Amino acid sequence: MNTLIARQRYTDLIAPFIDKNIIKVLTGQRRVGKSCILRQLQEQMRTAGANTIYINKEFDEFAAIRTNEDLSAYVAANLRPGVPNYLFVDEVQDIQGFEHTLRSLQAQDACDIFITGSNATMLSSELSSYLAGRYVEFHIHSLTYAEFLQFHRLTPSTQSLRNYLTYGGLPYLSNLPLQRDIVFEYLRNVYSTILLKDIVKREGIRNVDFLESLARYTADNVGNLFSANNISRYLKSQRVNISPLQVINYLRTLQNAYLIHKVRRVDAAGLKTFEIGDKYYFEDLGLRNCHMGFSMQNDISKLIENAIYLHLLHQRFDVFTGQLPGGSEIDFVARRDDAVVYVQATYRMDSEATREREFGNLLAIRNNYPKYVVSLDEWTSGSNVEGIHHVHLADFLQMDL
């Protein structure tokens, strides 16, 4: 059995809700480590002498648990009187009507409940409809760069950063040699599972070819402003007749499986949200790269921007892309409670025009919130322009903001 490496920031977030009569829901893309966190929590309870009931719908031994009636019967048979009871259900959305059992168990205070799920529609329908106010959600992401170094026992270096940008942060990769053919074969299998099981099967997708084409188009246009109308027109030029509404609906299915994230565009000064012009980023860089005919040289700017976005998510920010009067763009406007951070991403400051654009856009924002230009220039350490910090990507990805 592989050694479980603790992801302390998540267990620390969950800890205050343990032994409280509220369902703990761990959401996120498949293979980002939800199951490992669940097992760590289970081991913690078992070590303390509690009775733990563990169900993983990806294991054949639990194949017979298909409905809420099956789930209720299994839990009832495994509860133990006189000791604390904890229920852990992995990939709960694969059990039809699971919410009815969970609501009943919670009403009886029969056990402390922890579940995981890999599809956002679980929250928008089953949980919200039947368990509103009875659960708390913890979204689990793929590894941060700092976690990537820890899991792979690497020290910070140019090659370590290159590996992270290439292979991404799925935790299981720490069990594989970081060789392109081996890692990409694993990632392609994960990608296919997400596409076929979490999207095609659950969402009832009929046009699988278009779904795959749209996912590739999204990967190739990371960081670009999207318009469903523009995509539809482009597809028609390729003799693929798809309406803008169909494009939007298919993009939503990719989001529901947490494969991609949508970033809304806002007025960088007043944070007024615009109705059109979203951007999309991948939850995991490796899954973005494994089916793209990947080239670090050609994709580096997209990877830098995607990595910055993921770091802002890891830091628990709500992330937007900003627009200034006149149409200039701020790559990221990140908000968390009363904190705001502005970030510009670029490959290198190799021209005066690039410097004027990246720093100039941030200088146009007249407030005292932190502002960063992030690049791969080696001379950036500690430098700033009129209070705007210029930092190397590797340093930014390890910063607490």
Side-chain angles (χ1 to χ4, degrees), residues 221-241:
N221 286 274
V222 160
N224 293 335
L225 290 175
F226 263 63
S227 162
N229 287 321
N230 288 343
I231 297 172
S232 181
R233 283 194 291 269
Y234 166 77
L235 292 169
K236 285 179 181 178
S237 74
Q238 305 298 306
R239 300 188 178 182
V240 178
N241 191 20

Side-chain angles (χ1 to χ4, degrees), residues 284-298:
D284 183 76
L285 295 168
L287 291 179
R288 184 262 171 203
N289 297 335
C290 69
H291 63 292
M292 281 297 299
F294 171 72
S295 165
M296 178 67 77
Q297 181 177 357
N298 294 334

Side-chain angles (χ1 to χ4, degrees), residues 17 78 252 263:
F17 297 92
N78 285 278
R252 187 177 295 116
V263 176

